[in-house]
Amino acid sequence: MLRHTLQRLLLALPVLLGVLLLGFLLMQVVPTDPAQVRAGPTATQDIVEAIRRDLGLDQPLWKQFLIYVGRLLQGDLGVSIINNVPVVQELGNTIGPTLELMVASLIWAIPLGIAMGTVGAYFRGSILDRAIMAVSVAGVSLPVFFLGLALIWLLGFKYPLLPFTGRMGPFWTWDGFLAIILPAITLGGVFVGPVARMTRSSVLDVLGADHVRTARAKGLTERAVVMRHALRNALVPVVTLIGLQIGFLLGGAVVTETVFSWPGIGRLAVGAILSSDLPMAQGTIIVLSLGFILINLAVDVLYAVLDPRVRGA
Amino acid sequence: MNRLTALLLGSAAAVAATAAPVSAQQKAPLSILRVIDADNYDPIRSTSTAAAEALYMLADTLVSVDFDMKTIKPGLAESWKVSPDGTTYTFKLRTDVKFCDGRPMTAEDVVYSLKRWTDPANKSPVSFRGGQVKDIRAEGDATVVYELKEPYSDLLFQIGLSFASVVDKNAVEKLGANFGVQGFNATGPYCWVKWTPRQELVMKKNPHYTWGPPIYKDPKPQIDEIVWKIIPESNTLMAAIQAKQADVTYYMPYIALDTMQRMPGMQVQRQDNYIYDIFMGFKVDKPVASEGVIREAVNMAVNKDAIAKAIFFGKGQTLPALLNASVLDFDKDAAAKMPKYDPAAAAKLLDAAGWKAGADGLREKDGKKATFTVYGIRNDVNPRITEAMQADLRKVGIDMKIQLWDATVAWGKLATQEFDAFVMAYPYVTATEALNLYFNSRQAPTPNRMNWKDAKTDEMLKAAATAVDADKRKQAIGAVQAQLTEANVWVPLVSQPLWVVSGDRVEGVRAHGVYGAGLYKGLDIKLKR
């Protein structure tokens, strides 16, 4: 098991290095001139050149990359060229709200998705099953921004029950709790559909298995059969899917945070890219990629725990 | 199962019961929404209007600008004198001014701030606005002398801009590059509390403040706390104002203004004197754009009224002249020279000049096609403006190719020589400032993106900038307006009026708009509840 984990960890390292290089090159390829952006539209070329020198952007590309990697190895992601704040500090300020939003989304979306899938499988072919599948398909199909704006219209404006203009404190405070409801429903909404569909399919397979028939033959209640014997065995592929979907949730967080003005890392990334803040944009790319890599690593390990055959593969 | 159901229903009821009065609970602070944040709030480092709109509240300038955008009124200086040769300005300062930290402001603070702005060593992108400075010095505790190498007729207007804000030397030296990022100290009606970039800027009332400009009824701030919130998504911003989760904005999409006007309790104000103009400029040394007749035909073929009406949902205003009619030293005679919309006449003009339509409907002359490429920023209006222009020009046989760039890329692209024309929007305070900025030959290639290099223009611009007499300045800058209008270097398009939307919780809001600052000092604004 340890060997398997280490193997996966070592495989993640080149991916991370690739992300670093790609992140750096991507920001170089875009024809943005941060010095010009910082100088503004009325600045003369002399001023722009002076700012470029100050930012070190007049150095050759390879030198800029080496300096960047050298600093990175020391835990220094640089300083924002927009507001001089260390990138690490900004990332530290924004990672919390993003994690908070992700947890708030998953905490309701996973149980609901599993419940919907299980009920759908148990009542296969019924109106209830079809209704659940229709909701799941809608959940999969609806773009995050559309769901967010629709919820703002419904619960923020038409029936003004909930705030939607950003975080109002940690979620354990009352204002913070109210403020996170709509973004969490939006972000979690895209999660429910895939989980429900995968759970339904997996539970359907298991419900026809021999051990479930045996459990029924033993005279167990339907609840015990479904919950203890069918669902538990059906969860292996669902867990895998959840792990992978959490990675994609990071992408959804970028949109959700923009729609709800949520001060997370996704919005930081969008703002940094739009303001040509190269160090900040690179920092957010690294953190988001690292998050994706770590989640995938955790899924790999978890999968090996749930299915011992994987360890030898 | 029953317990779970009861719990869920109970939770939902609790949320609904307590969440319903969300808007009512938010008694303070005053919440102002905008779509974009500033890069920083150091007056000499940021050129963005997003910085200016907050800096006017955080800091003061020696003079203030009235709502008409033409009249200079006292600010930190209660009076001033200009020497007969126009090179020396002597400002008599108020003696009751204090910084947010309680320290009294002195003439040395003013001198420090103005030198910091104008000193080339500080590499401020806006230092040129201070003129050719010879010396800035204090004479006693309450007098500041601003001495120039040559007269500068725009000085008072420039000194009224946020770039010339008076700041606390101690705070600047203590914070270094983080001044206006992690902290700020000045003499404005509101004091810096905290800035979370791209999220919000929080200000609190300056308890000492009693020296507001005379353009306001009450010189003291009325609101305890102001939060400038960034809502990048315009639909969310619109809904937040409608749902009363915020109080004021001047970033309301044009499409929503009529709806806002119809909503009970909502106030929508328009500032007619706001100067933020959209134009297309030609690079006059490019093959097709260099032809005066092409430029004139473009000016005649583009239906500017239709653009103002359709793209701005009736809330824009056609710009019929090179400059905005509200600006100081606007020249009516020069404006009259601007070609009127007349596509048929444009076609005749082109015919007469030898630009004949080819098989594809496009005109050509001496083997050269009547085609040019326009660059611009991809924002919410430029795509539709340029497409409308493209359609109009196609009707007279001119092919305008459009290349719009994301804002992060656009300024770099607009500094190149790759394009023939460009579309841009800009704020300005005087005719002399605008034309000196964009048409002086020493300003090429940016911001003089037209590559307009003309000795006569330079001479008249200098005459206007250094005029001691207002009439002479008006005459000189009027001549520049006439020359540039006749040369059709620009195609003036639309003037964007300032629309300030405020909810029923606030009163006393009056749209200002100097350099994009819709609320200026924010005085006279009160919260009803």
Side-chain angles (χ1 to χ4, degrees), chain B residues 88-362:
Chain B
T88 307
Y89 288 67
T90 306
F91 296 94
K92 189 170 183 314
L93 306 179
R94 295 181 67 116
T95 52
D96 57 348
V97 178
K98 287 180 178 174
F99 286 100
C100 277
D101 65 0
R103 184 173 71 79
M105 184 200 78
T106 66
E108 285 301 335
D109 293 305
V110 178
V111 170
Y112 170 78
S113 303
L114 295 178
K115 279 187 171 173
R116 184 172 178 263
W117 167 43
T118 54
D119 186 351
N122 289 328
K123 294 176 195 160
S124 167
V126 286
S127 60
F128 69 90
R129 291 177 177 273
Q132 300 287 315
V133 176
K134 187 176 177 187
D135 188 28
I136 302 170
R137 59 183 179 276
E139 288 184 354
D141 272 355
T143 304
V144 168
V145 177
Y146 197 111
E147 201 176 346
L148 295 155
K149 291 174 187 163
E150 60 183 21
Y152 180 34
S153 61
D154 258 354
L155 184 67
L156 288 176
F157 283 94
Q158 298 299 332
I159 270 183
L161 294 180
S162 61
F163 311 118
S165 296
V166 172
V167 295
D168 173 28
K169 179 184 176 185
N170 299 333
V172 173
E173 288 178 350
K174 186 178 161 197
L175 291 165
N178 287 322
F179 181 74
V181 174
Q182 293 176 1
F184 192 91
N185 189 31
T187 67
Y190 292 93
C191 301
W192 175 286
V193 175
K194 195 186 174 199
W195 179 38
T196 312
R198 306 168 186 106
Q199 197 184 143
E200 63 180 27
L201 173 66
V202 183
M203 306 171 173
K204 66 176 181 189
K205 188 199 288 184
N206 181 348
H208 317 290
Y209 199 89
T210 55
W211 50 88
I215 63 171
Y216 290 102
K217 289 176 195 157
D218 191 337
K220 290 181 285 199
Q222 308 291 319
I223 296 162
D224 292 333
E225 193 176 68
I226 295 178
V227 179
W228 291 80
K229 287 187 103 171
I230 310 297
I231 306 286
E233 169 54 46
S234 58
N235 289 302
T236 309
L237 179 143
M238 200 163 67
I241 293 286
Q242 284 180 308
K244 297 175 185 176
Q245 291 195 14
D247 299 304
V248 184
T249 188
Y250 41 94
Y251 289 92
M252 186 62 68
Y254 293 104
I255 194 171
L257 286 169
D258 281 337
T259 309
M260 293 295 157
Q261 277 171 324
R262 284 196 298 269
M263 285 188 74
M266 203 69 79
Q267 298 168 62
V268 180
Q269 291 182 47
R270 171 182 158 140
Q271 161 61 299
D272 288 327
N273 299 320
Y274 181 62
I275 300 171
Y276 205 93
D277 296 346
I278 304 175
F279 68 92
M280 182 173 83
F282 287 105
K283 274 198 184 300
V284 294
D285 52 359
K286 288 281 186 170
V288 174
S290 63
E291 303 262 354
V293 71
I294 290 278
R295 299 199 300 264
E296 188 177 352
V298 171
N299 245 325
M300 294 163 83
V302 172
N303 189 343
K304 299 161 191 173
D305 287 337
I307 289 174
K309 199 172 171 186
I311 295 166
F312 293 87
F313 300 93
K315 305 297 178 193
Q317 202 169 306
T318 308
L319 189 61
L322 190 76
L323 298 175
N324 196 302
S326 301
V327 80
L328 183 75
D329 293 342
F330 172 77
D331 192 293
K332 283 183 188 164
D333 295 335
K337 295 177 192 289
M338 181 60 70
K340 302 285 179 288
Y341 172 60
D342 190 344
K348 271 188 197 165
L349 186 73
L350 290 166
D351 282 338
W355 286 92
K356 302 291 180 193
D360 55 359
L362 289 182

Side-chain angles (χ1 to χ4, degrees), chain A residues 31-33 36-45 47 50-51 54 80 82-86 89-90 149 152 156-157 160-168 174-175 177-178 181 258-261 263 267-268 271-277 280, chain B residues 14-16 18-20 22 25-26 38-40 45 47 123-125 127-129 177-178 181-182 195 197-199 229-233 235-236 239-240 242-243 245 263 405-409 411-413 415 424 437-438 443 445-447 449:
Chain A
T32 305
D33 183 353
Q36 182 71 52
V37 172
R38 187 163 181 171
T42 56
T44 58
Q45 279 307 107
I47 297 279
I51 292 173
D54 281 355
S80 163
I82 298 295
N83 56 22
N84 289 316
V85 175
Q89 187 184 317
E90 280 266 42
L149 290 175
I152 285 174
F157 174 59
L161 296 173
L162 295 164
F164 55 86
T165 56
R167 189 169 179 259
M168 294 178 174
W174 184 241
D175 284 345
F177 173 69
L178 290 178
I181 292 176
T258 303
V259 171
F260 288 97
S261 308
R267 198 173 148 210
L268 179 70
I273 291 166
L274 288 180
S275 55
S276 298
D277 191 349
M280 192 64 75
Chain B
V15 167
T18 48
V22 161
Q25 282 174 3
Q26 294 173 344
D39 44 357
N40 65 76
R45 280 198 294 140
T47 58
K123 294 176 195 160
S124 167
S127 60
F128 69 90
R129 291 177 177 273
N178 287 322
V181 174
Q182 293 176 1
W195 179 38
R198 306 168 186 106
Q199 197 184 143
K229 287 187 103 171
I230 310 297
I231 306 286
E233 169 54 46
N235 289 302
T236 309
Q242 284 180 308
Q245 291 195 14
M263 285 188 74
W405 302 92
D406 185 83
T408 58
V409 179
W411 295 119
K413 284 288 177 187
M424 189 178 275
L437 186 63
Y438 287 106
Q443 298 285 75
T446 55
R449 296 175 179 87

Side-chain angles (χ1 to χ4, degrees), chain A residues 27-301:
Chain A
M27 297 312 292
Q28 305 299 324
V29 167
V30 290
T32 305
D33 183 353
Q36 182 71 52
V37 172
R38 187 163 181 171
T42 56
T44 58
Q45 279 307 107
D46 296 346
I47 297 279
V48 176
E49 291 309 319
I51 292 173
R52 184 170 289 120
R53 279 193 298 278
D54 281 355
L55 296 174
L57 298 170
D58 58 333
Q59 301 290 326
L61 202 58
W62 63 268
K63 202 169 177 183
Q64 286 184 50
F65 182 66
L66 285 183
I67 292 170
Y68 174 66
V69 174
R71 283 183 182 160
L72 200 65
L73 290 172
Q74 299 168 53
D76 178 7
L77 286 169
V79 172
S80 163
I81 60 172
I82 298 295
N83 56 22
N84 289 316
V85 175
V87 172
V88 172
Q89 187 184 317
E90 280 266 42
L91 291 171
N93 290 338
T94 51
I95 193 87
T98 294
L99 289 176
E100 189 182 78
L101 179 59
M102 287 178 71
V103 169
S105 307
L106 295 174
I107 214 161
W108 70 271
I110 292 176
L112 182 65
I114 291 175
M116 282 168 64
T118 309
V119 171
Y122 189 76
F123 296 104
R124 182 175 48 161
S126 67
I127 293 174
L128 183 62
D129 178 31
R130 284 175 195 164
I132 285 172
M133 281 306 99
V135 171
S136 304
V137 170
V140 173
S141 315
L142 275 181
V144 181
F145 73 90
F146 178 81
L147 182 60
L149 290 175
L151 286 170
I152 285 174
W153 178 81
L154 185 69
L155 297 174
F157 174 59
K158 186 79 178 166
Y159 304 102
L161 296 173
L162 295 164
F164 55 86
T165 56
R167 189 169 179 259
M168 294 178 174
F171 71 92
W172 55 84
T173 63
W174 184 241
D175 284 345
F177 173 69
L178 290 178
I180 206 170
I181 292 176
L182 286 183
I185 293 176
T186 304
L187 190 57
V190 298
F191 205 83
V192 174
V195 172
R197 289 171 68 82
M198 175 58 85
T199 307
R200 181 181 178 275
S201 156
S202 187
V203 169
L204 269 181
D205 285 347
V206 177
L207 279 175
D210 291 344
H211 73 276
V212 172
R213 201 177 310 125
T214 307
R216 281 197 176 116
K218 280 165 67 182
L220 291 178
T221 62
E222 275 303 290
R223 185 175 168 175
V225 169
V226 173
M227 300 299 285
R228 231 184 288 158
H229 295 275
L231 186 57
R232 187 166 291 179
N233 283 291
L235 278 182
V236 176
V238 177
V239 167
T240 312
L241 177 84
I242 288 171
L244 293 173
Q245 285 292 120
I246 289 174
F248 289 109
L249 209 62
L250 289 168
V254 174
V255 181
T256 310
E257 287 176 4
T258 303
V259 171
F260 288 97
S261 308
W262 196 260
I265 202 163
R267 198 173 148 210
L268 179 70
V270 172
I273 291 166
L274 288 180
S275 55
S276 298
D277 191 349
L278 296 189
M280 192 64 75
Q282 284 162 348
T284 55
I285 288 170
I286 289 171
V287 169
L288 287 172
S289 307
L290 193 65
F292 204 93
I293 291 168
L294 286 177
I295 288 165
N296 275 289
L297 184 69
V299 170
D300 275 353
V301 173

Side-chain angles (χ1 to χ4, degrees), chain B residues 396-411:
Chain B
V396 296
I398 296 175
D399 176 35
M400 185 176 96
K401 293 187 168 64
I402 304 166
Q403 179 64 66
L404 301 179
W405 302 92
D406 185 83
T408 58
V409 179
W411 295 119

